[in-house]
């Protein structure tokens, strides 16, 4: 078994000449895991063990290589909602609504992608955003700092503790 603790580079900007590429297939939601055990397409058992912060693995990331072989991340296509907001106002509204549901957002060119959920798809249709369901490779997830917030006037327990601590 090979233990992987860092990303070596990406095939887009790193020479992999004279090496056999051995894809490590991951679902989009596994790309941010700190610990994971899998087998590559070539049958090599690997363990991802990122001890500090879990990197968001991208398509083509080289996670291990020697003189003969390179283990490369291959994100499996998944069902996705694809949106092409026409105006900045539409872009803001769509991203706000999706973010308010704490769903991951992916940007690819002028498209917004979200893992497929039927209720969200129907809501976006009803609002006139013309969503399309497609099989897509979900990479380039927007990273966000999740700050606890309230949806009512009472506030969360966390907010109350923070208010008491700051006095």
């Amino acid at each position: 078994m090979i233990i992987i603790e860092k990303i070596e580079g990406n095939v887009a900007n790193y020479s992999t000449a004279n090496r056999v590429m051995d894809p490590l297939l991951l679902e989009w939601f596994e790309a941010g895991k700190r610990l994971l055990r899998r087998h590559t397409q070539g049958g090599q058992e690997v363990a991802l063990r990122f001890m500090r912060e879990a990197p968001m693995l991208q398509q083509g990331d080289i996670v291990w290589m020697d003189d003969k072989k390179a283990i490369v991340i291959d994100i499996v296509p998944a069902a996705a909602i694809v949106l092409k907001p026409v105006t900045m106002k539409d872009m803001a509204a769509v991203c706000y609504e999706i973010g308010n549901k704490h769903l991951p957002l992916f940007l690819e060119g002028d498209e917004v992608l979200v893992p497929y959920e039927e209720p969200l798809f129907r809501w976006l249709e009803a609002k006139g955003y013309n969503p399309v369901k497609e099989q897509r490779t979900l990479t380039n997830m927007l990273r966000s700092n999740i700050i606890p917030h309230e949806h009512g006037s009472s506030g969360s327990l966390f907010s109350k503790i923070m208010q008491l601590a700051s006095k």
Side-chain angles (χ1 to χ4, degrees):
M1 176 180 11
I2 296 173
I3 297 173
I4 297 167
E5 296 179 319
K6 65 180 180 168
I7 299 170
E8 301 289 333
N10 191 290
V11 294
N13 52 22
Y14 201 90
S15 175
T16 55
N18 302 324
R19 291 184 179 96
V20 173
M21 305 294 237
D22 191 4
L24 176 59
L25 301 179
L26 296 179
E27 300 285 338
W28 69 267
F29 54 86
E30 295 174 315
K33 299 257 183 197
R34 287 186 48 220
L35 302 170
L36 191 67
R37 277 184 117 158
R38 289 280 181 276
H39 285 85
T40 64
Q41 287 292 100
Q44 176 67 53
E45 184 178 11
V46 297
L48 300 178
R49 188 173 72 185
F50 298 109
M51 298 311 288
R52 293 190 182 123
E53 182 179 321
M56 186 54 67
L57 295 168
Q58 299 295 319
Q59 183 75 12
D61 278 349
I62 302 165
V63 291
W64 182 87
M65 88 177 140
D66 64 11
D67 293 338
K68 298 176 184 173
K69 180 168 77 171
I71 296 175
V72 179
I73 298 298
D74 189 5
I75 308 292
V76 178
I81 298 172
V82 181
L83 298 159
K84 284 190 176 185
V86 178
T87 66
M88 286 303 288
K89 182 179 177 185
D90 287 346
M91 174 69 89
V94 164
C95 291
Y96 177 81
E97 289 298 334
I98 293 168
N100 203 32
K101 293 171 181 31
H102 300 282
L103 297 173
L105 275 173
F106 299 82
L107 292 180
E108 192 172 299
D110 61 348
E111 297 176 325
V112 175
L113 300 121
V114 183
Y116 186 81
E117 286 189 0
E118 186 73 21
L120 179 61
F121 186 87
R122 296 290 171 224
W123 182 86
L124 291 165
E125 268 185 330
K127 292 292 184 179
Y129 292 116
N130 302 317
V132 177
K133 181 180 178 182
E134 294 181 4
Q135 287 293 118
R136 297 291 282 272
T137 301
L138 298 175
T139 60
N140 302 319
M141 182 167 62
L142 292 178
R143 290 185 180 230
S144 65
N145 294 329
I146 306 287
I147 300 170
H149 63 282
E150 57 184 276
H151 289 274
S153 59
S154 63
S156 68
L157 179 59
F158 180 80
S159 299
K160 290 176 183 175
I161 292 170
M162 290 305 292
Q163 288 172 356
L164 288 172
S166 65
K167 289 182 181 178

